[in-house]
Amino acid sequence: MTVVAMGMPAVRTGQPSSDGRPDTPLLIDRFGRVARDLRVSITEKCSLRCTYCMPEEGLPPIPADELLTAGEIVRLVTLAAHELGVREVRFTGGEPLMRRDLETIIAGCRAELPDIPIAMTTNGVGLEHRARKLVAAGLNRINVSLDTVDRDGFARLTRRDRLDSVLAGIRTARDAGLAPIKINAVLMRDTLAGAADLLRWCIDERCELRFIEEMPLDADHEWARANMITAEELLAELGRRFTLTEVGRDDPAAPAERWLVNGGPATVGIIASVTRKFCGDCDRTRLTADGRIRSCLFSDQEYDVRAALRSGAGDAEIAGLWRGAMWNKWAGHGIDAAGFVPPERTMGAIGG
């Protein structure tokens, strides 16, 4: 197996080692976890520049001929469902709405996989103009990234004054049938005081809010454990205005722990990726926009499925590559380890 130097994560070519792997078509790893949730990044481009995700100038562009095409994405997603046991697909970016052929991608996957849930994570900019087309193509659910409903705060955090577009997109998507919409908010020191306002807005707009502890995936490499907002700090802040009753997780593999708000039925979720890590129950496998299989957000070991695809590899060979990549998945992200080093790719380049 050779390592290709790309100024990015180490990209492996050839078949990864499958020594000791049980004879199963599923994406099992050495710790007994089975990946059934596929995250597919389809672009590195984004319409915002969130400080915890992207540099101000944006990510270096991926040459068009290195991006997976719509047809290649459909083939790989179909293979993952038919051959590898994937049960849910989510499209991410960058910002997936930056792909003009997004509807084509979704429609192609829906035609091949009529019963598989297809979701998307988006920042919502421009969603108001495409929500109905996306539903017609076969999209089932969306998550919208929204950290604050304060316009000035939104503009500072995202480096763009686009809050009105995001809110309009959420409402249009809800009315188009994508409800319930989940809102993802990264916990930041600058937005903590407005967390209760965001929760109140989500309850009023019939959206499900999930707060996410900030992870060391920022482009500016300014993350520090001592500066991050923890789940406990958030609960204390929300507790000033709401009565929260813990209800836990619906599914052990679900990242969000949930609390009833004022006795329900509304809930708020917290994804405590750092302080209450859930790596032991992780069920995700990832495909980057340039065609790399990535077993973990924090692993810089990637496998080049695009090269295999374009060299004429059949489904059996690609499935074997994917199984081997996941067999070698890490035990966990290791953020608490003394020698922890953040991955080369930022969140915007990996996909949510």
Side-chain angles (χ1 to χ4, degrees):
M1 187 180 302
T2 59
V3 177
V4 182
M6 299 181 64
M8 291 182 68
V11 180
R12 267 71 174 178
T13 60
Q15 289 287 345
S17 172
S18 293
D19 292 347
R21 187 183 182 280
D23 184 16
T24 173
L26 303 180
L27 294 174
I28 193 169
D29 65 32
R30 298 175 188 273
F31 304 94
R33 298 167 298 192
V34 177
R36 303 184 187 278
D37 183 343
L38 171 59
R39 302 296 171 101
V40 185
S41 173
I42 60 175
T43 181
E44 85 294 351
K45 295 179 175 61
C46 190
S47 47
L48 300 179
R49 297 289 184 270
C50 298
T51 56
Y52 54 80
C53 181
M54 289 212 175
E56 188 168 2
E57 66 276 11
L59 294 171
I62 298 174
D65 63 346
E66 294 182 12
L67 278 174
L68 290 176
T69 67
E72 289 170 336
I73 293 170
V74 172
R75 180 183 171 189
L76 291 171
V77 169
T78 302
L79 182 152
H82 285 167
E83 305 294 334
L84 303 174
V86 163
R87 295 179 179 173
E88 182 173 354
V89 177
R90 176 176 296 278
F91 293 109
T92 69
E95 171 48 53
L97 290 172
M98 299 294 284
R99 285 275 301 234
R100 294 182 179 180
D101 57 357
L102 175 60
E103 289 86 351
T104 300
I105 293 169
I106 291 173
C109 292
R110 176 57 67 216
E112 296 291 335
L113 305 168
D115 300 320
I116 289 284
I118 298 177
M120 179 177 78
T121 296
T122 174
N123 63 31
V125 175
L127 181 60
E128 60 187 302
H129 305 298
R130 298 176 71 177
R132 290 180 174 83
K133 294 178 182 178
L134 291 167
V135 171
L139 186 67
N140 299 118
R141 295 190 295 105
I142 62 166
N143 287 19
V144 180
S145 299
L146 177 63
D147 304 306
T148 178
V149 287
D150 175 77
R151 183 169 179 173
D152 291 339
F154 181 93
R156 286 194 303 272
L157 184 61
T158 67
R159 303 182 177 114
R160 300 290 188 273
D161 184 10
R162 302 303 305 275
L163 179 61
D164 289 347
S165 177
V166 174
L167 301 185
I170 291 170
R171 290 166 178 146
T172 302
R174 181 193 62 205
D175 294 343
L178 288 171
I181 293 171
K182 291 183 179 179
I183 303 296
N184 293 341
V186 175
L187 283 169
M188 306 285 288
R189 188 68 59 185
D190 289 345
T191 58
L192 179 61
D197 292 334
L198 179 59
L199 177 53
R200 181 73 264 167
W201 185 90
C202 287
I203 293 171
D204 292 343
E205 294 289 338
R206 304 190 302 281
C207 296
E208 296 181 6
L209 176 60
R210 291 121 49 92
F211 289 96
I212 305 170
E213 287 183 342
E214 185 186 8
M215 294 178 284
L217 293 166
D218 58 307
D220 297 328
H221 301 293
E222 294 182 351
W223 181 93
R225 175 68 179 264
N227 296 333
M228 63 169 283
I229 301 296
T230 67
E232 292 303 322
E233 288 181 82
L234 172 67
L235 290 169
E237 180 66 28
L238 295 179
R240 299 176 190 273
R241 283 178 51 184
F242 302 99
T243 300
L244 303 178
T245 306
E246 187 171 3
V247 293
R249 291 186 172 92
D250 293 329
D251 178 345
E257 298 177 73
R258 297 186 307 124
W259 279 259
L260 289 174
V261 181
N262 293 340
T267 64
V268 62
I270 301 178
I271 300 175
S273 310
V274 178
T275 63
R276 303 183 187 185
K277 63 182 181 180
F278 41 86
C279 299
D281 294 311
C282 181
D283 68 343
R284 294 179 183 174
T285 184
R286 298 177 183 275
L287 186 63
T288 66
D290 52 353
R292 321 294 189 196
I293 298 167
R294 192 176 179 99
S295 62
C296 173
L297 271 175
F298 290 89
S299 172
D300 273 332
Q301 180 171 279
E302 299 181 349
Y303 293 87
D304 191 349
V305 71
R306 186 193 71 213
L309 196 67
R310 294 182 181 178
S311 68
D315 285 357
E317 183 178 344
I318 293 171
L321 172 63
W322 207 324
R323 292 184 188 111
M326 296 306 296
W327 177 241
N328 290 282
K329 183 174 181 174
W330 293 1
H333 55 52
I335 291 175
D336 291 327
F340 171 76
V341 178
E344 289 291 327
R345 288 194 196 249
T346 66
M347 178 62 86
I350 298 169

